[in-house]
Amino acid sequence: MENSDNTYRPVIGLEIHVQLSTKSKMFSSAPNNPDTTEPNVNIDEVVTAEPGTLPVVNKEALRLGVMVGLALHCEIPEYSKFDRKHYFYPDLPKGYQISQYDEPIAQNGYVDITLPSGDTKRIRITRAHLEEDAGKNIHPEGLPYSLVNYNRAGSPLLEIVTEPDIESAEEARIFLQELRNIVRYVGASSADMEKGTMRCEPNISVRKPGELTLPKYKVEVKNINSFKFAEAAINYEIARHKEMLEAGNMPKQVTMGWNEKDSKTVEQRSKEEANDYRYFPDPDLPRLHFTKEFIEDLQGQLPELPDAKRLRFKNEYGLGSADIDNLIIWKELTYFFENVVSELTEWNEVEGGKLDMPKLIKQAANWCLQDFSAFLNAMHQNPTESLVMPENMAEMIKLVEQGKISSSAAKQVFKVMFDKGGEPDTIVADLGLEQTSDEGSILEAIEKIIAENEKAVTDFKAGQEKSFGFLVGMAMKELKGKGNPQIVNELLRKKLSE
Ligand code: MN
C-alpha cells in the first residue's frame, strides 16, 4: 500500500479486550462477575496465587473464544497453548499473566464494515487469543496509600488484534461498533465499553506524503471507555502526529492515556517490546487441541450474524439503513421486532393480503425503537424480560390501523402495557380510549363548535387557514380527544363550505 497522493495518511490498528461472560474465571472456579461492587469477594486461592495452587482451563471460555474467532472468519489452528507474560504490578499476584503468545486460538480473519458512503471495507483480524485479566489498583485521592481489588483478576479475556487497515477515527468507531454487535450476537460478552467489559487500545501512526512503507513508530492509547472517546482520542493523536511530521520531527514511540476531562492524550510510559515480557510456555497448562468435529460443531452453533441480518432486514422488510442499524445493535430487540412482524403478517393473510405491510412493518420498527426502547432502557430491561409480548404490540398497531384508537391513545395504552402487562383491547376499554368514527356524534360536536366560535368561522371563510386548525382542536376537545382525526377534518371542512 503505497502512499502515492500528497496527503498525510493515518495508519490505525486496534487491540480490543473483551471480557467473556462465563460463570467462573479463566483458570479457577471463583465467580466472574463484572457487576460486583464489594471488593475482593470474587476470589479464591488460584486468583490470589497462594503457593501450591494450579490453574485449570475454563472450557466455556474456550468455547466462547473459538465462537468469536469463527464469527470473525478466523482460522482456528488445531493446536494452541498458553504462555506466561511477566511483569510486576500489585494487581497481578502471580507476577505473570497467563496469555497466549505465538499460538493463539484464532488467526487471519476479517470484519467487513459499512462506511457512511455505503461502501464496504474489509478490516483484517491478525489474531484473537485468550488470557486472564489483572485486578485493579485504586489510588484514593489525598491518601498516602493505594488499594487493590482482585475481583477482576483472573477473569477470562479474549484479546482481538487487527491489522493496521483502519485509516480514520470514524472507521475505527464503525469497526468497534460492529465488533461489539458480533460479540453480543455470539453471546460471548456484554461488550460494554462504559462498564469495561470491552476495552480498546488503538495504535496510531501517520504516513507522510509519498512514504512507501508503514511508519517506523506507533503510539498506543489506553484508558478509552466509550466509542466517542475512541474517536476523539484517535483524532487528537492524528492531528498531533501530523503537526510533528510537518515540522520535521518523528513522534516518539510511547503509550498515551486518554484524559477525558481535558479531551487530550497524556504520555504514560515508553512502549515495551515483546521480549521485555520474557514469554515462555506455561508448564502448568496442557496444550490445547481442537478437533475438526469440535470446530464444526461450534460453527453450526453460530447465530445469524449482524451483517447477514442487516441484509435480510433490508430485503425482507424494506427498512431504511438507520432503522436497521438501530435495531441490529440490540439482538433481543430484533427477535421481538420479527415476532411482531410475523403477527402482523398473519393478520394480513387473514385479510387476504390487502393490508399495507411496508407501512405496518415501519410502525413496528418505530414502536420498538422509540417508546419500547426508551422504557426498556429506563428500567435496564431486555425485551425478553418485559411484560409486553410481541402479540400485544401487534394488536395495538392493528387497533390504530383499524381506526379504533388514535395514535396518541396508543401511546397511553403502550405505557400501561409496559408497566402492568395485558391485552391492548382490555386496556383501551378500561381507560375509555376508544376512538369514535361515528359520523353522527362527530357531526353533532362540529355543529356545536361552529355555533360557539363565530369569529373563527368568519376568519376561516375570509381565507385564514389557521382558524381551521383552531376549529379542529375545539371539535377534538368537544369529543374528549376520541374523534377519529381524519373524519373530524373531513366533516368540518365539508360543513364549513356549506
Ligand atoms: Mn492483553
Side-chain angles (χ1 to χ4, degrees):
M1 283 199 299
E2 175 180 328
N3 188 10
S4 52
D5 58 25
N6 242 354
T7 53
Y8 286 85
R9 280 175 178 266
V11 180
I12 303 160
L14 298 173
E15 244 183 62
I16 302 104
H17 286 86
V18 168
Q19 184 174 337
L20 299 174
S21 43
T22 55
K23 285 201 183 71
S24 57
K25 295 210 169 162
M26 187 68 228
F27 299 109
S28 85
S29 56
N32 172 39
N33 182 358
D35 296 324
T36 304
T37 48
E38 194 187 336
N40 295 310
V41 289
N42 296 341
I43 59 171
D44 61 11
E45 55 278 17
V46 177
V47 170
T48 55
E50 304 300 319
T53 55
L54 287 169
V56 177
V57 176
N58 181 335
K59 257 194 189 165
E60 179 63 4
L62 288 184
R63 193 184 72 87
L64 294 176
V66 171
M67 290 271 275
V68 174
L70 291 170
L72 301 177
H73 309 100
C74 286
E75 302 157 9
I76 309 298
E78 192 179 352
Y79 290 98
S80 176
K81 72 167 164 54
F82 286 105
D83 300 279
R84 293 183 177 182
K85 177 181 180 180
H86 297 81
Y87 64 95
F88 177 77
Y89 217 55
D91 61 16
L92 190 71
K94 291 196 296 295
Y96 60 86
Q97 177 193 26
I98 304 177
S99 180
Q100 297 191 290
Y101 182 50
D102 52 351
E103 292 185 60
I105 55 157
Q107 60 196 23
N108 301 329
Y110 64 87
V111 171
D112 286 333
I113 58 168
T114 308
L115 304 175
S117 64
D119 291 344
T120 302
K121 178 167 178 174
R122 179 157 293 186
I123 309 297
R124 290 171 298 160
I125 304 292
T126 316
R127 58 185 275 155
H129 70 249
L130 286 165
E131 60 186 27
E132 56 177 345
D133 207 347
K136 234 180 191 169
N137 293 322
I138 297 138
H139 312 288
E141 220 175 304
L143 294 173
Y145 54 80
S146 289
L147 300 166
V148 62
N149 181 357
Y150 289 124
N151 279 347
R152 206 180 63 180
S155 288
L157 296 178
L158 186 71
E159 178 177 327
I160 300 157
V161 182
T162 77
E163 291 291 308
D165 291 343
I166 297 163
E167 291 171 291
S168 71
E170 188 184 42
E171 283 181 18
R173 177 183 48 77
I174 295 169
F175 171 84
L176 286 169
Q177 285 170 334
E178 189 64 3
L179 181 66
R180 174 196 57 185
N181 293 343
I182 292 169
V183 169
R184 284 185 178 173
Y185 272 55
V186 170
S189 170
S190 59
D192 188 331
M193 286 187 74
E194 278 80 5
K195 278 192 185 163
T197 52
M198 175 163 153
R199 304 192 285 266
C200 148
E201 284 148 28
N203 54 72
I204 303 145
S205 50
V206 173
R207 212 189 277 204
K208 285 184 283 188
E211 192 170 2
L212 301 183
T213 54
L214 289 177
K216 289 186 181 54
Y217 76 96
K218 58 185 177 189
V219 170
E220 189 176 304
V221 185
K222 291 190 181 286
N223 199 24
I224 291 171
N225 58 9
S226 75
F227 294 115
K228 208 176 84 195
F229 294 152
E231 207 169 355
I234 293 171
N235 274 329
Y236 185 88
E237 279 299 302
I238 292 171
R240 189 175 71 83
H241 299 194
K242 215 180 126 190
E243 202 174 299
M244 287 186 77
L245 293 166
E246 276 169 346
N249 299 317
M250 168 96 122
K252 270 196 293 178
Q253 172 128 335
V254 285
T255 298
M256 309 287 283
W258 174 247
N259 183 322
E260 189 183 317
K261 222 170 63 203
D262 304 330
S263 294
K264 62 184 214 178
T265 58
V266 183
E267 187 173 326
Q268 286 187 330
R269 56 187 154 89
S270 63
K271 201 170 158 38
E272 50 292 278
E273 301 283 329
N275 50 18
D276 295 336
Y277 289 121
R278 293 154 37 240
Y279 278 102
F280 70 77
D282 193 310
D284 291 339
L285 288 158
R287 272 175 85 70
L288 301 170
H289 180 207
F290 298 115
T291 62
K292 220 173 137 196
E293 293 72 38
F294 176 76
I295 292 166
E296 274 168 9
D297 180 37
L298 293 190
Q299 184 87 50
Q301 287 178 33
L302 282 180
E304 182 182 36
L305 292 168
D307 52 352
K309 189 166 286 207
R310 198 174 273 124
L311 190 66
R312 189 168 61 78
F313 274 25
K314 188 175 157 211
N315 295 337
E316 221 166 279
Y317 302 135
L319 290 173
S321 58
D323 281 347
I324 293 175
D325 282 342
N326 290 329
L327 279 169
I328 288 286
I329 53 171
W330 201 342
K331 180 178 67 173
E332 292 82 0
L333 192 63
T334 65
Y335 295 158
F336 187 97
F337 164 76
E338 291 209 85
N339 285 331
V340 176
V341 171
S342 94
E343 294 283 334
L344 293 169
T345 307
E346 252 172 58
W347 177 40
N348 189 35
E349 278 160 17
V350 173
E351 299 290 321
K354 282 183 299 196
L355 300 175
D356 183 352
M357 279 310 287
K359 178 183 156 199
L360 295 176
I361 290 168
K362 173 72 181 147
Q363 276 167 7
N366 287 349
W367 279 105
C368 284
L369 292 172
Q370 293 162 18
D371 297 53
F372 197 29
S373 286
F375 294 163
L376 288 168
N377 283 324
M379 300 295 290
H380 303 287
Q381 262 184 4
N382 238 328
T384 45
E385 299 164 318
S386 173
L387 295 172
V388 181
M389 300 288 132
E391 53 270 33
N392 302 144
M393 186 187 276
E395 188 62 29
M396 192 190 64
I397 291 170
K398 186 172 162 183
L399 293 177
V400 176
E401 183 62 18
Q402 291 171 327
K404 291 187 180 157
I405 55 171
S406 66
S407 41
S408 60
K411 281 188 175 285
Q412 293 180 55
V413 172
F414 190 73
K415 180 83 179 83
V416 175
M417 241 157 64
F418 186 87
D419 291 340
K420 299 180 191 156
E423 306 274 339
D425 48 358
T426 321
I427 299 167
V428 168
D430 284 353
L431 299 181
L433 289 170
E434 254 146 285
Q435 178 169 270
T436 177
S437 300
D438 168 30
E439 299 202 3
S441 55
I442 292 177
L443 208 55
E444 202 175 298
I446 285 173
E447 277 163 356
K448 183 160 178 262
I449 62 114
I450 285 179
E452 283 170 2
N453 295 281
E454 264 176 57
K455 182 162 183 318
V457 172
T458 320
D459 288 350
F460 174 74
K461 288 185 170 164
Q464 282 198 30
E465 188 60 27
K466 203 171 68 183
S467 302
F468 185 72
F470 169 78
L471 290 167
V472 169
M474 295 304 291
M476 287 303 274
K477 201 169 162 192
E478 183 63 32
L479 290 159
K480 301 196 168 58
K482 292 181 198 167
N484 181 321
Q486 209 183 328
I487 299 176
V488 170
N489 265 277
E490 273 168 27
L491 290 182
L492 181 64
R493 214 170 266 284
K494 199 169 141 206
K495 202 76 202 162
L496 286 170
S497 62
E498 273 172 7

